[in-house]
Amino acid sequence: PPPSPPSPPSPPPSPYTCRAGWRESEGRCYQYPWSLGNFASSEQICASSEAGEAPTLAVITSDAQRQTAADVSSGSENRIGLFYNVSTQAYEWVDGTAFVYEARWHQKCSGATCNNRCVRQVSSSHGWKPGQWDDWHCDGNSNFICSYTLPPPPQPPQVVHVMAELVQPPQP
């Protein structure tokens, strides 16, 4: 028999779903790259992952996202994209997302003398502080979690119903 024709190429992945190997939670995709790095090198590894729009160290804005990030990681403490800015004495996300959600902390940085300015999240399977956040020094090597935000899906066109008024001709 003649050889089968080649199968058609696979369609490109949808920009509205996470790429293979990433897990979605509330419009953000998470991945555990199985690498070690300090804060700067971890951020570079995330950015070079070629997934989605501008991947960074993980940004977490809800309990559901925190749980997803904890679930994709190994049984260790994993760097996320949250750091303490000594100048402003406030926590900031690497992508500029407002810091409004906080998980339960094992240890938290505060004040102008804070030495451990970067944050790690503990995986779900950790024995004594699962899912908690912990401040840690930025120069130390650590496992880490990456994330990127999915674009919003296109909105269907809005249908506008217009009701025509009946106009009476002027009376003589």
Side-chain angles (χ1 to χ4, degrees):
S4 302
S7 37
S10 299
S14 167
Y16 310 111
T17 59
C18 295
R19 289 193 175 268
W22 294 73
R23 191 178 308 168
E24 193 270 338
S25 179
E26 298 178 337
R28 197 176 296 271
C29 301
Y30 295 90
Q31 182 187 57
Y32 180 73
W34 294 93
S35 298
L36 289 172
N38 63 26
F39 190 85
S41 66
S42 298
E43 181 68 359
Q44 289 173 344
I45 291 169
C46 289
S48 68
S49 68
E50 297 182 18
E53 292 294 319
T56 64
L57 281 167
V59 175
I60 299 167
T61 59
S62 70
D63 281 332
Q65 290 180 351
R66 181 196 55 76
Q67 187 62 52
T68 299
D71 290 347
V72 302
S73 62
S74 76
S76 63
E77 297 172 324
N78 303 286
R79 186 180 310 282
I80 59 176
L82 186 63
F83 65 96
Y84 186 77
N85 184 329
V86 176
S87 305
T88 62
Q89 295 190 20
Y91 279 95
E92 298 177 7
W93 289 108
V94 292
D95 72 348
T97 297
F99 179 62
V100 293
Y101 167 79
E102 275 189 78
R104 186 169 160 216
W105 288 84
H106 169 67
Q107 190 171 358
K108 186 176 180 182
C109 197
S110 64
T113 60
C114 177
N115 292 323
N116 295 329
R117 297 182 189 142
C118 292
V119 178
R120 296 190 302 180
Q121 176 171 291
V122 181
S123 76
S124 296
S125 61
H126 195 279
W128 56 278
K129 53 182 178 178
Q132 293 183 29
W133 289 354
D134 192 12
D135 65 337
W136 205 60
H137 54 98
C138 299
D139 293 333
N141 281 336
S142 177
N143 293 306
F144 55 94
I145 305 165
C146 303
S147 72
Y148 67 92
T149 303
L150 291 170
Q155 297 297 315
Q158 290 188 356
V159 178
V160 177
H161 296 282
V162 178
M163 188 169 161
E165 288 186 28
L166 293 175
V167 177
Q168 298 288 331
Q171 297 291 335

